[in-house]
Amino acid sequence: WTAPGPELSLTPFPPVSGAPAVLNIANNNPGDLVASGYSFVGAGPTQTAYGTLLLSPPFTQFPNLIANASGNATMTANVPPVVQGWDVWLHALNFTQMVWTNPLATTFQ
């Protein structure tokens, strides 16, 4: 048995344009530094100094997060109405453990 690695989720899934969405990276250690980002172009791959990012440029990084006592690194973002029908790809990296999360792809409702 091995402990689960960092897992990226988005609530609601798929996200709804004009409403808030919660991005959560679970299964971190408390205090871990976590970076996440998104692309409207595709799923990469893009080679980085930290390994393979599964986002295509141009991509945007969210502010870095610190995992709480439960191991969750969470942020809420307001989804603008203009993105309804757009595809989005998301990926995250636990910098402390140097472990990538699962990638996510969805379309804004």
Side-chain angles (χ1 to χ4, degrees), residues 37 39 42-48 51-56 59 89-92 100-104:
S39 171
T46 300
Q47 295 305 316
T48 74
T52 303
L53 171 65
L54 297 178
L55 299 176
S56 296
F59 44 82
W89 290 262
L90 301 111
H91 201 199
W100 292 96
T101 66
N102 56 300
L104 283 182

Side-chain angles (χ1 to χ4, degrees), residues 13 88-90 103-107:
F13 191 82
V88 64
W89 290 262
L90 301 111
L104 283 182
T106 189
T107 301

Side-chain angles (χ1 to χ4, degrees), residues 9-108:
S9 65
L10 189 61
T11 306
F13 191 82
V16 178
S17 60
V22 177
L23 181 76
N24 186 59
I25 300 96
N27 301 326
N28 301 287
N29 295 318
D32 281 359
L33 177 65
V34 180
S36 58
Y38 65 92
S39 171
F40 292 123
V41 179
T46 300
Q47 295 305 316
T48 74
Y50 308 104
T52 303
L53 171 65
L54 297 178
L55 299 176
S56 296
F59 44 82
T60 302
Q61 183 177 340
F62 291 116
N64 288 339
L65 303 170
I66 302 295
N68 64 19
S70 298
N72 292 312
T74 304
M75 68 171 282
T76 301
N78 291 318
V79 179
V82 70
V83 299
Q84 183 176 14
W86 291 15
D87 295 325
V88 64
W89 290 262
L90 301 111
H91 201 199
L93 172 65
N94 178 310
F95 268 113
T96 305
Q97 298 180 40
M98 294 307 296
V99 177
W100 292 96
T101 66
N102 56 300
L104 283 182
T106 189
T107 301
F108 289 106

